[in-house]
């Protein structure tokens, strides 16, 4: 399915599980960095509600619009996971949300372009790079800090057809910072 994963539910469907955020992928190195910040030796996969915890996955190397093959599924990166108070609950730590925000790495949401099956041993492989790259890590930084993009960044976002229109509208309403 393009709009849901069989057997999966979302705690807050108004935020998670939209067509642009069906699949949530978190890299184990990012997750372990976050876990250390709250005093855990190791991250337990799935602890923050991700659909998939994968070995190699760096938000600094992934752009909005990059397309990945995961098993039979084709998925397109759309947005960083923005940690909410649920992280505190899931991790049983009052600083979970803040630690994940401070870490700067909390995974990526994807829209499903081609549905299919994903098996535990399947690889996550980038099959297409966005023509107008806007790194997930930069988008995360702007959103978490409630900052505006430069006018150049806003233009790149507008040229990237995978970019969520609601985010561009927010930025346009606030105005961009000249380059």
């Amino acid at each position: 399915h393009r709009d849901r994963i069989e057997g999966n539910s979302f705690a807050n469907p108004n935020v998670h599980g939209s067509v642009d955020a069906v699949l949530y992928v978190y890299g184990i190195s990012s997750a372990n960095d976050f876990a250390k910040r709250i005093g855990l030796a190791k991250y337990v996969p799935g602890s923050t509600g991700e659909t998939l915890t994968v070995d190699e996955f760096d938000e600094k190397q992934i752009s909005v619009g990059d397309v990945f093959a995961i098993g039979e599924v084709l998925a397109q990166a759309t947005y960083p996971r923005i940690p909410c108070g649920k992280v505190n609950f899931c991790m049983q730590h009052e600083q979970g949300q803040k630690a994940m925000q401070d870490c700067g790495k909390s995974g990526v949401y994807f829209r499903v372009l081609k549905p299919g099956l994903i098996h535990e041993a399947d690889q996550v492989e980038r099959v297409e790079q966005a023509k107008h790259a806007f790194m997930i890590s930069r988008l995360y930084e702007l959103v978490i800090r409630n900052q505006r993009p430069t006018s150049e960044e806003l233009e790149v976002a507008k040229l990237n057809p995978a970019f969520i229109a609601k985010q561009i509208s927010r930025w346009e309403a606030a105005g961009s910072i000249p380059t």
Side-chain angles (χ1 to χ4, degrees):
H1 302 281
R2 289 178 191 257
D3 61 347
R4 63 185 163 87
I5 296 170
E6 283 187 35
N8 194 27
S9 62
F10 298 97
N12 185 352
N14 295 328
V15 178
H16 313 290
S18 72
V19 169
D20 294 320
V22 172
L23 188 61
Y24 167 34
V25 179
Y26 199 15
I28 197 66
S29 62
S30 296
N32 280 331
D33 184 19
F34 156 63
K36 286 178 190 164
R37 291 170 186 261
I38 58 171
L40 299 175
K42 186 177 167 189
Y43 181 80
V44 176
S47 294
T48 60
E50 68 271 18
T51 315
L52 300 171
T53 311
V54 298
D55 293 333
E56 300 294 323
F57 205 73
D58 184 351
E59 295 90 333
K60 292 180 181 180
Q61 304 297 317
I62 298 169
S63 171
V64 171
D66 285 357
V67 177
F68 289 79
I70 310 167
E72 298 173 359
V73 172
L74 275 183
Q76 184 176 52
T78 57
Y79 207 73
R81 189 255 173 102
I82 305 300
C84 64
K86 274 286 204 201
V87 175
N88 295 356
F89 175 78
C90 291
M91 299 306 294
Q92 297 293 296
H93 195 286
E94 64 183 14
Q95 292 298 309
Q97 176 185 6
K98 183 178 181 337
M100 188 178 261
Q101 289 175 348
D102 291 347
C103 172
K105 299 177 268 181
S106 59
V108 180
Y109 281 118
F110 288 83
R111 70 174 55 99
V112 173
L113 301 177
K114 179 185 153 242
L117 295 175
I118 298 172
H119 297 48
E120 191 173 331
D122 287 340
Q123 298 295 309
V124 176
E125 179 185 354
R126 185 184 350 239
V127 294
E128 183 182 325
Q129 289 188 304
K131 288 182 178 72
H132 301 282
F134 199 114
M135 293 301 146
I136 291 289
S137 58
R138 177 62 179 149
L139 177 54
Y140 183 83
E141 178 183 350
L142 290 169
V143 172
I144 287 291
R145 295 182 178 163
N146 199 25
Q147 294 177 339
R148 298 176 300 172
T150 65
S151 53
E152 183 179 279
E153 287 173 324
L154 182 58
E155 286 309 308
V156 169
K158 288 177 174 180
L159 290 170
N160 185 327
F163 221 95
I164 295 174
K166 193 166 39 175
Q167 183 63 56
I168 292 172
S169 296
R170 277 187 220 125
W171 285 342
E172 287 180 323
S176 60
I177 301 168
T179 47

